[in-house]
Amino acid sequence: MGIDLPVESVALQQRVAGSLLDDVVMRAGPAHQSTTIEFQVKKQLAVTGSSEALISLLGQAAETWKTREHALETGRLLLGAAAPGPSDDLADLDDLAVRARAHSTHVSFQRLLVEKVTSQRLRARHAQIVKAMSAATGITEPDGLEHLTHRVLSRLHVWRVEPFEDGRDWRDGLDNLAELARNTGQSAAVLLVLLAELAEAIGPHAGDFDAQQVRTRFQRKHGIALPALPAQTSPFEGGIRFEGGVTFQGPSYLASQQVFNGMTINTHYPPASPKE
């Protein structure tokens, strides 16, 4: 999902903190050299020039480049898009973002988008993204438009959601949670539902949670002691993993995996009933 470092905290609905792509904000690494990725979550994200969801996403990403250029240039800030589909659209958007990251300038990137080098399908998809960027920003001058489009794509990470109870993210969450569930005397499904309660509680209040807050809530509210990393263990060296599922409701719809300072959280949409 863009960050390879262990995630230290996850926050929701962070427009109040100045994030434009504000639905999910994840911070990784030590404070003095942290990396942040900000995700905008969409129920559907059609990658076409007339897609309102894409125009909105690109407009917010372009404004982020305008106001936080240094953080994006240095890699301290990354942009994210999360949606369940359409799958072909998101696959193409992801492919173009990966290719854009391999080029330092839009001029170099444009050399890739030619016949016999890149498929006609991807070239057409890129043209649709440029069209949507123009609609989002009002820019019509070709070179400036291509420059901004490349900038956004080069920092964009696509989170392709599987919003089904039997989907990859849900199955992985149950599998990853199995060992912890045995240690706590709870079923994996029960722990997933409790984590869903946590997300539902903090989401409407722009919650910002780290691993210790999750442990504290589980102990206080449910009487469940979740293991913490030993004090001497670096999150870069592995250690005890907390794995579970989080259901985001309301404006957030997503499913994937995050790591909270050595604890892995698998998120899932939509809500699912506990399975013993």
Side-chain angles (χ1 to χ4, degrees), residues 14-162:
Q14 290 298 294
R15 187 62 62 98
V16 294
S19 299
L20 296 180
L21 282 71
D22 65 317
D23 289 324
V24 180
V25 176
M26 298 187 292
R27 305 179 192 91
H32 66 285
Q33 56 183 17
S34 64
T35 299
T36 299
I37 185 165
E38 300 179 351
F39 279 94
Q40 192 68 34
V41 181
K42 301 293 185 182
K43 292 182 180 180
Q44 292 287 314
L45 183 59
V47 183
T48 66
S50 60
S51 166
E52 292 184 6
L54 181 63
I55 291 169
S56 172
L57 171 69
L58 294 178
Q60 292 163 340
E63 184 64 22
T64 301
W65 262 106
K66 181 179 178 180
T67 57
R68 301 164 71 187
E69 180 176 6
H70 180 71
L72 286 161
E73 286 280 12
T74 59
R76 297 290 293 272
L77 175 64
L78 302 173
L79 309 173
S87 58
D88 288 347
D89 295 47
L90 294 180
D92 288 349
L93 179 62
D94 187 30
D95 195 343
L96 287 166
V98 169
R99 294 175 189 231
R101 288 196 287 276
H103 294 266
S104 59
T105 69
H106 71 288
V107 175
S108 173
F109 184 47
Q110 283 298 307
R111 296 193 191 108
L112 187 69
L113 299 172
V114 297
E115 190 176 359
K116 297 182 180 180
V117 177
T118 299
S119 70
Q120 191 278 334
R121 169 175 162 166
L122 275 185
R123 299 200 311 272
R125 189 76 75 183
H126 179 263
Q128 292 296 310
I129 295 170
V130 172
K131 180 180 178 181
M133 180 67 79
S134 180
T137 63
I139 298 173
T140 57
E141 189 274 316
D143 191 65
L145 194 54
E146 293 286 356
H147 173 64
L148 182 56
T149 300
H150 171 260
R151 273 190 149 190
V152 168
L153 286 174
S154 70
R155 295 299 186 270
L156 185 67
H157 295 265
V158 180
W159 186 349
R160 282 182 278 173
V161 175
E162 289 191 2

Side-chain angles (χ1 to χ4, degrees), residues 3-9 26-36 76 235-236 259 261:
I3 298 181
D4 296 323
L5 300 172
V7 174
E8 299 291 335
S9 67
M26 298 187 292
R27 305 179 192 91
H32 66 285
Q33 56 183 17
S34 64
T35 299
T36 299
R76 297 290 293 272
F236 296 95
V259 181
N261 194 18

Side-chain angles (χ1 to χ4, degrees), residues 159 169 244-248 254-258 265-269:
W159 186 349
D169 302 294
V246 178
T247 303
F248 292 85
L254 56 146
S256 193
Q257 186 180 85
Q258 299 109 39
I265 297 282
N266 281 294
T267 63
H268 169 65
Y269 162 77

